[in-house]
Amino acid sequence: MSVEWDKLFSEQAMNIKPSPIRELLQYTKKPGVISFAGGNPDPLAFPVAEFASAAIVLGRNGMDVLQYGATDGYGPLKDFLAEWMAGRMGRVTNYDEMLITTGSQQGMDLLCAALIDKGDAILVEDPTYPGAIHTMRNRGASFITVPCDKDGMIADLLPEKIEEARKSGVKIKFIYTIVNFQNPSGAVLSGERRKKLLEIAEKYDLLIFEDDPYGHLRYEGEHEPTIFSMDNSNRVVFACSFSKILAPGARVAWIVGSPEIIKKMTLVKQGADLCTSVVTQALVAEYCVKGHLDGFLPKIVSHYAKKCQGMAEVFAKHLPKDAEYAVPRGGFFFWVKIPGVDSKELFMKGIERGVAFVNGPAFFANGGGEDCIRACFTFARPDDLEEGAKRLAQAIGDMKAK
Ligand SMILES: Cc1ncc(COP(=O)(O)O)c(C=O)c1O
C-alpha cells in the first residue's frame, strides 16, 4: 500500500505554496537566457580572495569554531556588528538585543513564530518581498496591504486600515517595511514617513519590522535614519544581512530588537537549528574584523551604481514610451509598469525571446500588479544589459501585436 500523503501532511504543509521566484528560476537557467529575474548579487564581484583569506581563523581558533555555538550567535561577530552598526542604530546595541540568523529569511520566520497566531494580520507594503509573504503565510499570517509611492508606504492610510481591521476583530501584530531601495519598487521610505510610522505604531501598540538588506547600497543621496534609531519604546525590530553586501551563500544575517523579543526568537531558533553555522560566522567575523567589509563596500557600491546607470540607459533607449519606472538610487531593482500588458504572459514571451524577469503579482500579498515587472540589474553581465533590454522590448512588442 502506498503512503497516503494527504492524510499525513500538516495543515501548514498542505497550505504551503512554492515561492513564485524560485519557480521561475528554472526558466532563467535555459541556455542563452539573460536573467533580470532573481535578486542575485554579481558573482564576478564577490570578494573571493579576501573571504578565502579569512579561513585562517579555522587554524587559529579551530577548537571553538568547529564546536556547537551559542544560539544567539558567535561573540566576535556580534561585537563587531554592534560597533559597526552603531551609527545607523543610533547607539551601540547591547549583546542581548542581537541575534545572528541563518539569513534574514530565518530572522523573519523566527519573528513570525514568536508573534503570529493563525489569522493574525501583518501590515505589509503593496508590493512587497515575496519571500516575506511566503514565510509569513506559512506561519499563519493574514495580510493588510498598504499602497506605496516613491516615498514608500503611505503611512497616512494606516490608521483607517488598522481601525477597520480591529472593528472586525482582526489582531494586527506588526508593520513590515523594507525601508531602503525596497524590493521590488526601489522606493526609500522618507524620513517624515519613518517618524509617522513610529507614531502610528505607538498609538496602536504595534511593532515595526524594519527590514534593511539594501540600505548600505546607496548610489546617490544621503542615508535616512533608521526607524530603530528614532524609537524610544522598544517596538522596532531591525534586520540586516550579509547577503547583498558580502555573499548570500554565507547565509549570515542579524536582527536587533528589545531583549524580550530577541529572547523569544532565540528559543524558537534553538528548536530550528541550534545555531547558525559557527564556521561561516567565524569566517564572516574574521573578514569584517580584518577591515575587508569596509574595503569592499565602496567598491561594490560603485560597481552596482554603474550597472544601475547602465540599465537606466538601455531601458530609456529600448523600452516603449508608455513604460513607467523610476531609476532607483540604490539597491538591486527597477520596477516597471507596462500599461495594458499581462506580465505573466509577458514572462513566457520574454523566455522565448531570451530574457527573464519577475512578474508583478508575485509581490502582492492580496493580488494585483498584473501589468508590472521587476528587473534586477546586479546579476546580468554589463555587456548583456542592452541585449536584455532589447529582448524585453521585443517581448512587449509581441504582446502588443497580438
Ligand atoms: C527585502 C528582503 N528581505 C530579506 C531577504 C532575505 O535575505 P537573506 O539572504 O539574508 O535571507 C531578501 C532577499 O532577497 C530581501 O530582498
Side-chain angles (χ1 to χ4, degrees):
M1 191 173 126
S2 56
V3 178
E4 290 189 58
W5 289 107
D6 284 0
K7 289 197 180 142
L8 294 175
F9 282 139
S10 65
E11 203 182 316
Q12 183 188 330
M14 290 297 280
N15 289 327
I16 219 158
K17 292 200 186 98
S19 144
I21 298 190
R22 298 212 155 244
E23 288 272 284
L24 299 184
L25 288 183
Q26 51 171 320
Y27 296 102
T28 67
K29 298 231 164 73
K30 250 180 80 179
V33 170
I34 295 172
S35 180
F36 298 154
N40 290 1
D42 186 343
L44 297 174
F46 286 142
V48 175
E50 290 80 2
F51 198 62
S53 76
I56 197 161
V57 71
L58 302 180
R60 198 180 64 232
N61 296 349
M63 297 224 301
D64 288 333
V65 168
L66 300 181
Q67 191 53 275
Y68 286 113
T71 305
D72 63 314
Y74 179 65
L77 182 60
K78 292 185 70 172
D79 291 341
F80 171 84
L81 286 170
E83 290 287 339
W84 192 71
M85 288 295 289
R88 301 245 169 159
M89 307 312 279
R91 61 187 171 83
V92 178
T93 51
N94 298 325
Y95 213 75
D96 59 359
E97 292 177 293
M98 184 190 293
L99 171 64
I100 303 290
T101 56
T102 305
S104 279
Q105 194 67 33
Q106 185 185 45
M108 64 180 71
D109 188 47
L110 299 175
L111 184 69
C112 290
L115 295 174
I116 300 293
D117 288 313
K118 195 163 182 229
D120 286 349
I122 303 172
L123 287 151
V124 298
E125 287 152 350
D126 219 8
T128 190
Y129 166 53
I133 300 175
H134 191 76
T135 299
M136 292 168 180
R137 191 172 275 144
N138 283 351
R139 289 288 179 185
S142 63
F143 299 98
I144 301 171
T145 56
V146 189
C148 296
D149 61 20
K150 65 170 188 26
D151 292 325
M153 185 185 269
I154 305 175
D156 281 341
L157 299 175
L158 281 170
E160 198 184 324
K161 286 185 180 273
I162 296 169
E163 280 170 26
E164 206 177 285
R166 287 197 171 163
K167 262 193 223 131
S168 53
V170 173
K171 225 187 221 175
I172 305 172
K173 290 293 175 66
F174 63 89
I175 302 168
Y176 172 56
T177 175
I178 306 159
V179 278
N180 294 311
F181 318 114
Q182 204 250 16
N183 180 1
S185 70
V188 174
L189 189 66
S190 70
E192 202 183 303
R193 287 201 184 155
R194 289 174 196 232
K195 269 193 223 131
K196 193 161 268 176
L197 222 54
L198 193 53
E199 281 164 19
I200 293 168
E202 278 170 7
K203 178 168 174 203
Y204 292 98
D205 196 17
L206 301 172
L207 299 185
I208 295 178
F209 178 26
E210 180 177 23
D211 190 13
D212 192 18
Y214 303 100
H216 291 96
L217 301 174
R218 177 176 273 283
Y219 313 137
E220 52 174 283
E222 298 296 315
H223 291 293
E224 290 289 351
T226 60
I227 311 179
F228 183 93
S229 68
M230 304 171 175
D231 174 26
N232 296 316
S233 59
N234 261 341
R235 65 182 64 250
V236 179
V237 179
F238 173 94
C240 193
S241 171
F242 284 101
S243 287
K244 315 292 173 171
I245 56 172
L246 169 55
R251 308 308 302 130
V252 178
W254 64 101
I255 194 159
V256 179
S258 77
E260 287 83 355
I261 186 72
I262 293 296
K263 198 167 164 194
K264 252 321 165 220
M265 289 169 65
T266 307
L267 290 177
V268 182
K269 185 171 163 66
Q270 273 176 13
D273 65 357
L274 302 180
C275 62
T276 293
S277 158
V278 190
V279 172
T280 35
Q281 290 186 74
L283 289 172
V284 170
E286 183 76 11
Y287 171 92
C288 292
V289 168
K290 286 271 157 66
H292 293 313
L293 183 63
D294 287 326
F296 180 60
L297 265 180
K299 287 189 208 155
I300 195 72
V301 165
S302 105
H303 179 73
Y304 286 157
K306 280 193 208 112
K307 285 185 118 173
C308 180
Q309 187 54 34
M311 186 168 266
E313 282 164 16
V314 298
F315 273 11
K317 195 164 153 195
H318 295 289
L319 292 197
K321 290 287 162 278
D322 62 347
E324 296 165 26
Y325 58 89
V327 177
R329 307 177 86 197
F332 274 31
F333 308 112
F334 277 66
W335 179 242
V336 187
K337 183 173 171 156
I338 310 155
V341 167
D342 181 273
S343 65
K344 278 190 186 158
E345 280 182 49
L346 180 64
F347 178 81
M348 293 320 297
K349 285 272 177 255
I351 294 298
E352 282 168 26
R353 289 280 186 181
V355 66
F357 49 82
V358 182
N359 47 48
F363 302 93
F364 289 77
N366 292 337
E370 285 77 9
D371 56 359
C372 294
I373 64 165
R374 188 194 75 178
C376 171
F377 55 82
T378 52
F379 178 71
R381 285 191 312 219
D383 294 350
D384 283 343
L385 291 179
E386 176 142 32
E387 182 57 29
K390 269 194 214 161
R391 293 178 187 181
L392 175 57
Q394 284 163 346
I396 296 170
D398 295 344
M399 291 283 296
K400 289 194 172 168
K402 269 203 324 173

